[in-house]
Amino acid sequence: MSETQRLHIVECPRDAIQGWPHPISTEDKLAYYRSLLRVGFDTLDMGSFVSHRAMPAMADTASVLGQLEEEGIWDQTQTQGLVIVANERGAKEAVTFDSVKVVGFPLSLSPTFQERNTHATLDEAWKRLDAIASHCANADKELVVYLSMAFGNPYGDVWDAEMPATWAQKLKARVAPSVISLADTVGTASAEVVESVFAATTLEVGREHLGAHLHLHPMEGLDKIKAAHKSGCLRFDGALRGVGGCPMAQDDLVGNAPTEWIVEWAEKKGLWSVDQAHALDQSLSLAADLFS
């Protein structure tokens, strides 16, 4: 397949686990991550360095990363490790791990959601991002900025279809992230809005610097994924079985895009291929056990 057309698929167990109502042990995470690393996903979003009180399910991220590094599993995969941070303290810790190649930061178009998500005003969030970008550059790590609420918000905060492109241009000029990932945080965007927003943002930053983190209702299928791809997006986040999503959606049926759906669609179009099909089957089986 052409590298200019090939998809970049990000599997997000962190997003699935952090919102799961039942604790998942470090041992179960390690077993799950080992299987996911054998599949051949381009990136594995596997943890976060944020307040343990705010995100207790991710309190063992350092232990998980340290154990996997000791096992040498990263020498056997092309998958990049990604973690999320919310401030400079988290970034300083994240960049000390060799397995962390990518650091992600959530920046919201909605000031209300920024406060709820990271306990920071937008001005404070931009300053945090400046510091995080500096740590990433010094440690030779890639930076991904997730533009939360990129397709509107439930709080009545100002939003229009041009805002994501405008913010993306500002991000490119100010911190030059490797990827700007547009997030349909509450899963309410239509495929038509997704297509138009991605088309405009692609013109500003180029498709090689653009990603999609879209939350879906099962009845939608992959309509929004296909719409983003039609407008040039080649990087997609998902979680096996569609687990996870945003609690702000207030809809148990709105979750992450099921990665297995994305893989099946992408393989049929010749846009991606699984390194080891049996490893994907094993991961799906483990996901069924963990998230049941």
Side-chain angles (χ1 to χ4, degrees):
M1 71 189 74
S2 168
E3 284 300 313
T4 60
Q5 298 295 322
R6 182 186 182 278
L7 296 190
H8 184 114
I9 296 182
V10 182
E11 167 60 21
C12 303
R14 184 266 320 163
D15 205 355
I17 291 170
Q18 70 182 16
W20 194 245
H22 310 296
I24 294 178
S25 69
T26 300
E27 291 73 21
D28 283 340
K29 287 178 189 172
L30 285 166
Y32 190 39
Y33 290 0
R34 290 184 194 110
S35 73
L36 293 171
L37 286 168
R38 287 192 290 269
V39 175
F41 294 114
D42 298 282
T43 299
L44 192 67
D45 176 355
M46 57 197 307
S48 62
F49 289 100
V50 299
S51 166
H52 295 174
R53 287 174 295 178
M55 203 60 66
M58 291 292 109
D60 60 352
T61 292
S63 296
V64 169
L65 293 175
Q67 177 62 37
L68 291 175
E69 287 187 3
E70 284 184 16
E71 294 173 6
I73 194 169
W74 295 100
D75 298 330
Q76 306 165 34
T77 179
Q78 296 298 310
T79 301
Q80 293 184 314
L82 180 153
V83 297
I84 301 296
V85 303
N87 53 35
E88 185 177 8
R89 180 204 59 77
K92 286 181 178 179
E93 187 172 6
V95 300
T96 63
F97 289 88
D98 291 338
S99 56
V100 173
K101 303 300 183 184
V102 189
V103 175
F105 178 78
L107 181 69
S108 178
L109 272 67
S110 160
T112 302
F113 186 71
Q114 190 73 52
E115 288 269 9
R116 292 188 177 202
N117 196 35
T118 65
H119 303 291
T121 66
L122 280 177
D123 283 345
E124 290 169 338
W126 277 99
K127 290 175 182 177
R128 291 183 185 182
L129 181 55
D130 288 335
I132 291 166
S134 178
H135 286 290
C136 287
N138 291 337
D140 196 26
K141 309 292 187 183
E142 293 186 15
L143 172 65
V144 173
V145 177
Y146 295 89
L147 275 184
S148 306
M149 299 291 176
F151 302 91
N153 63 81
Y155 311 115
D157 292 339
V158 173
W159 179 87
D160 61 56
E162 289 74 40
M163 283 180 68
T166 300
W167 280 52
Q169 193 281 331
K170 181 179 178 180
L171 280 166
K172 182 180 179 181
R174 182 160 171 170
V175 295
S178 298
V179 175
I180 299 167
S181 189
L182 304 185
D184 183 16
T185 313
V186 289
T188 56
S190 67
E192 291 75 20
V193 169
V194 169
E195 183 177 340
S196 64
V197 166
F198 269 94
T201 311
T202 300
L203 289 175
E204 288 292 341
V205 299
R207 66 181 185 177
E208 68 275 15
H209 298 296
L210 198 58
H213 187 100
L214 303 174
H215 292 161
L216 313 176
H217 188 287
M219 297 301 292
E220 293 177 311
L222 291 181
D223 289 351
K224 287 192 279 195
I225 298 290
K226 294 174 182 177
H229 180 256
K230 183 178 179 180
S231 291
C233 184
L234 296 175
R235 178 188 174 104
F236 294 96
D237 292 9
L240 292 183
R241 296 172 58 86
V243 179
C246 179
M248 303 297 180
Q250 298 181 339
D251 186 343
D252 291 340
L253 291 177
V254 174
N256 282 300
T259 310
E260 64 272 26
W261 293 9
I262 299 174
V263 167
E264 182 180 11
W265 166 71
E267 285 199 305
K268 286 180 179 178
K269 293 181 69 68
L271 300 173
W272 202 79
S273 60
V274 177
D275 282 359
Q276 299 184 46
H278 69 277
L280 179 58
D281 290 340
Q282 181 189 35
S283 294
L284 282 165
S285 178
L286 288 171
D289 291 337
L290 289 176
F291 307 115
S292 61

